[in-house]
Amino acid sequence: MRPRQPHLPPVPFSPAAARAHRAGLGLTPQQVAEGMAAHGIRLLPGHVIGWESGEIRPSEEEFIALARALWCPPAQLMGARPACLRDFRVARELGREEAARRIGVPPRAYELAEATGSWNGDEDQTYALAQVLGLTLRDVPAVLGRGDELEQRLRRCVDGRWQAQVKAIGRIVPVPRETLAAVLTDLQEEQQVTAHWGAGSWGSAAPAQPEPPRRDRPLAERFWELLAGQHTGIPV
């Protein structure tokens, strides 16, 4: 028997945005329903009215067809930035099987990742995931629930050998290894300077030095700043 999957909440939807887009095009609910029929979704004008009033919510398929009928990107009808794999996929007007095909993973593997928020892809597959779904590099660990893991691995880079963490971090942040190596090297050097800051004697006549990086901020914040200065192929 196929295992039961966690139930996902409805696709984010803004009734006000849908109403504004329809009004901007000068369309009636009837005309919107006819436009959706051209995209394979047949329903009554009452559904359109119900969505715009907030009484009912469109399904995933209805949502995509509505965006097409209103000639607008699906994300503009969400009313909020996508926050999970499903939302990013819908914003790209992709079905699960098509997304899996483009990413290069079995449909079942992608379906499970979307349902659980757990991703086991390698570096290349994680890069493809970000490209296909339009994720930024910051989005990847956030959407996959791996922000804490990234912070822990960055801490190990600073406290030990960053080379031992490159592969694991590359599965969380899909950038070329040479780019990742350069950023981790800079991060480690900065933090080591910070750790030894103020080690000189009190009466030292050494010239004033620039303020070192703060150690009370998450390492990931500085990691993203350093990464933004590199060519990554995917926006940070």
Side-chain angles (χ1 to χ4, degrees):
M1 178 181 290
R2 191 173 186 178
R4 229 176 141 178
Q5 298 176 4
H7 176 68
L8 289 175
V11 175
F13 178 70
S14 169
R19 189 166 55 250
H21 276 284
R22 178 177 64 78
L25 292 172
L27 299 176
T28 65
Q30 175 67 40
Q31 289 171 319
V32 172
E34 291 172 355
M36 293 179 64
H39 297 288
I41 300 296
R42 299 183 180 280
L43 40 71
L44 297 173
H47 285 81
V48 178
I49 296 172
W51 296 334
E52 292 183 359
S53 68
E55 293 180 9
I56 54 177
R57 299 282 290 272
S59 67
E60 180 181 309
E61 294 76 13
E62 291 168 344
F63 179 88
I64 292 175
L66 177 62
R68 291 174 177 173
L70 294 177
W71 294 85
C72 71
Q76 292 186 9
L77 295 182
M78 288 185 173
R81 197 168 187 276
C84 64
L85 287 179
R86 189 275 314 276
D87 295 351
F88 277 100
R89 173 178 58 76
V90 171
R92 288 285 178 135
E93 301 184 30
L94 295 173
R96 290 185 183 84
E97 290 192 5
E98 178 62 16
R101 184 188 68 78
R102 295 190 186 187
I103 295 168
V105 297
R108 175 60 180 152
Y110 176 77
E111 186 178 348
L112 190 60
E114 194 169 282
T116 63
S118 177
W119 175 254
N120 296 315
D122 59 24
E123 293 158 277
D124 290 339
Q125 291 169 333
T126 303
Y127 181 87
L129 176 78
Q131 287 278 34
V132 171
L133 300 187
L135 303 171
T136 66
L137 292 176
R138 288 175 183 261
D139 287 332
V140 176
V143 168
L144 300 179
R146 302 184 73 176
D148 289 343
E149 179 187 351
L150 175 61
E151 183 70 23
Q152 292 169 6
R153 292 193 178 279
L154 291 175
R155 177 59 58 190
R156 292 174 193 168
C157 289
V158 169
D159 295 339
R161 294 181 66 253
W162 61 260
Q163 293 89 339
Q165 301 298 324
V166 170
K167 185 174 182 179
I169 293 177
R171 293 167 70 100
I172 303 173
V173 183
V175 297
R177 288 202 181 187
E178 57 271 20
T179 299
L180 197 53
V183 169
L184 293 178
T185 298
D186 289 346
L187 183 67
Q188 184 187 61
E189 291 177 353
E190 282 188 0
Q191 296 298 315
Q192 287 177 345
V193 167
T194 304
H196 291 86
W197 192 259
S201 61
W202 277 103
S204 174
Q209 298 293 324
E211 185 178 352
R214 291 169 45 198
R215 285 183 63 85
D216 60 342
R217 68 190 297 216
L219 284 174
E221 289 186 15
R222 182 56 181 154
F223 171 75
W224 296 126
E225 291 172 356
L226 292 170
L227 197 57
Q230 301 284 333
H231 176 69
T232 59
I234 297 174
V236 176

